[in-house]
Amino acid sequence: MPQKVKAVVAMAKDAPVSIETIVIPDPGPGEAVVDILTCGVCHTDLHYVQGGIGDNYPYLLGHEATGTVSAVGAGVTDVAVGDKVILNWRAVCGECRACKKGQAQYCFNTHNATQKMTLEDGTELDPALGIGAFAEKTLVAAGQCTKVSGVTDEQNAAAGLLGCGIMAGIGAAINTGAVARGESVAVIGCGGVGTAAIAGAALAGATTIIAVDLDDRKLAKARELGATHTVNSTERDAVEAIQELTGGFGADVVIDAVGRPETYTQAFYARDLAGRVVLVGVPTPEMTLQLPLADVFGRGGSLKSSWYGDTLPSRDFQMLIDQYHLGRLDLDAFVTETITLEDVDAAFAKMHRGDVLRSVVVL
């Protein structure tokens, strides 16, 4: 029988979000209903509110979530009722050309639930990243549920952040950037994703980790999570500072966690010869980039984009939970505050001002 629950919905562009009653259908084939435990407030959700992703309002917001599976549809075998899961937006298909090449982390045909959740009047909701977890319950494709073990109730808020931003940052370092022991890494932009990239570089064994940002508060947090050096780019030229801190050569890996032409250009010139540039910050559609082609050729190395940290949730989520338990990855440090559904709009404002690393809704 369909269920009615409370949820945070963006009804129109740039309007304050509201608490609405929504209808969750029974799961169909390949689907699951999940009772949400926690959900982080990610900048992507704010992009939905601001119209930066589309105009298919109303949007059911929220996607960095932990939950417990409460019902499954026909044919679901990977998760069962009662399983604790972290939700992901990369439900791999197993059939596309990437999956068939053994590169499921690049799956080109990831999927969501077939049925739609709705408002009480029947208006269909578009769930953020196919998840929609600022809600007491949500409906997802069963492949979006990644079963994890060893996560206590007190650890849910931290663990759920692996569902998006923290995984994107860590993955940009360890998966896309392939940071190796002893290498130098610079990260431009130290919000949630950039700070996670710093933590990922430390986890991978980098010995010089340079954090670049405009905000000294963010730089201080970056140092807590593994940065060995910090650069406030309002005070120093970021490229010159990174080169100076790496013997005049530039970093082995430079990660752009902002996603603007200016920061990408900095990343390009701040790397060593044959170094790697990783773009994990998400640009807006109108942005363009100009680089001298001779410089692209002459500097060698690689220019990579990181999709969701090139993560394979079934491989990466439990591994990072294990690193958390071993004391090698401080996921708790990313949780600035815990809030309720009613506090989400205020949390967007705090995030926009840079007052928090992550606010996490606890249900």
Side-chain angles (χ1 to χ4, degrees):
M1 176 179 292
Q3 302 174 74
K4 294 183 178 182
V5 300
K6 290 195 307 179
V8 177
V9 176
M11 299 296 292
K13 181 179 178 180
D14 284 330
V17 300
S18 56
I19 304 294
E20 305 289 341
T21 298
I22 68 170
V23 180
I24 311 293
D26 291 336
E31 296 176 341
V33 172
V34 177
D35 293 345
I36 300 301
L37 298 170
T38 65
C39 186
V41 180
C42 177
H43 209 279
T44 301
D45 293 302
L46 184 57
H47 282 323
Y48 276 101
V49 175
Q50 295 172 333
I53 294 178
D55 61 356
N56 195 28
Y57 296 92
Y59 288 113
L60 173 58
L61 301 177
H63 58 279
E64 288 185 342
T66 57
T68 303
V69 176
S70 61
V72 297
V76 174
T77 58
D78 289 343
V79 292
V81 172
D83 284 347
K84 179 172 282 189
V85 295
I86 297 174
L87 298 183
N88 73 81
W89 44 274
R90 178 154 296 218
V92 300
C93 72
E95 297 294 332
C96 71
R97 57 197 185 280
C99 288
K100 287 182 176 179
K101 288 191 293 185
Q103 297 177 326
Q105 71 272 22
Y106 300 131
C107 178
F108 302 142
N109 193 31
T110 59
H111 53 280
N112 304 317
T114 301
Q115 299 182 89
K116 287 289 190 180
M117 295 173 279
T118 68
L119 297 174
E120 287 187 286
D121 65 4
T123 302
E124 291 187 348
L125 294 163
D126 194 343
L129 296 180
I131 293 176
F134 286 151
E136 294 166 325
K137 294 174 181 285
T138 194
L139 175 77
V140 293
Q144 294 178 277
C145 300
T146 304
K147 184 178 178 179
V148 292
S149 61
V151 178
T152 67
D153 290 344
E154 292 75 22
Q155 295 168 337
N156 285 334
L161 300 182
L162 293 174
C164 185
I166 306 309
M167 184 68 250
I170 293 174
I174 65 176
N175 293 333
T176 317
V179 174
R181 292 186 299 275
E183 286 196 307
S184 57
V185 178
V187 178
I188 300 174
C190 296
V193 173
T195 305
I198 287 163
L203 186 63
T207 49
T208 300
I209 305 173
I210 304 163
V212 180
D213 202 277
L214 309 171
D215 188 329
D216 285 333
R217 297 172 300 171
K218 294 181 180 179
L219 293 172
K221 178 60 74 171
R223 191 174 283 275
E224 288 178 27
L225 282 157
T228 60
H229 303 80
T230 59
V231 176
N232 187 318
S233 55
T234 66
E235 301 170 359
R236 299 185 64 189
D237 179 88
V239 175
E240 291 178 0
I242 292 167
Q243 290 172 339
E244 179 182 316
L245 292 167
T246 52
F249 301 116
D252 295 307
V253 181
V254 184
I255 298 171
D256 177 5
V258 180
R260 294 188 56 84
E262 303 92 328
T263 52
Y264 191 88
T265 301
Q266 288 176 325
F268 180 84
Y269 286 109
R271 67 186 172 123
D272 197 357
L273 292 175
R276 288 100 74 195
V277 172
V278 176
L279 174 64
V280 67
V282 181
T284 55
E286 74 279 1
M287 291 179 180
T288 60
L289 177 69
Q290 286 189 316
L291 287 171
L293 193 56
D295 286 359
V296 175
F297 175 79
R299 298 185 71 84
S302 61
L303 309 177
K304 296 184 174 184
S305 297
S306 186
W307 298 344
Y308 195 6
D310 291 343
T311 183
L312 186 59
S314 60
R315 175 194 67 196
D316 293 339
F317 284 7
Q318 187 64 53
M319 178 272 291
L320 292 173
I321 292 293
D322 293 342
Q323 297 300 309
Y324 171 44
H325 288 148
L326 289 167
R328 298 171 181 164
L329 176 62
D330 188 2
L331 292 177
D332 295 312
F334 289 92
V335 181
T336 308
E337 62 175 1
T338 56
I339 61 174
T340 68
L341 287 174
E342 288 76 12
D343 300 323
V344 167
D345 218 32
F348 283 144
K350 292 177 185 177
M351 180 175 59
H352 188 68
R353 294 193 302 266
D355 294 342
V356 294
L357 200 53
R358 271 297 187 272
S359 303
V360 179
V361 174
V362 177
L363 289 110

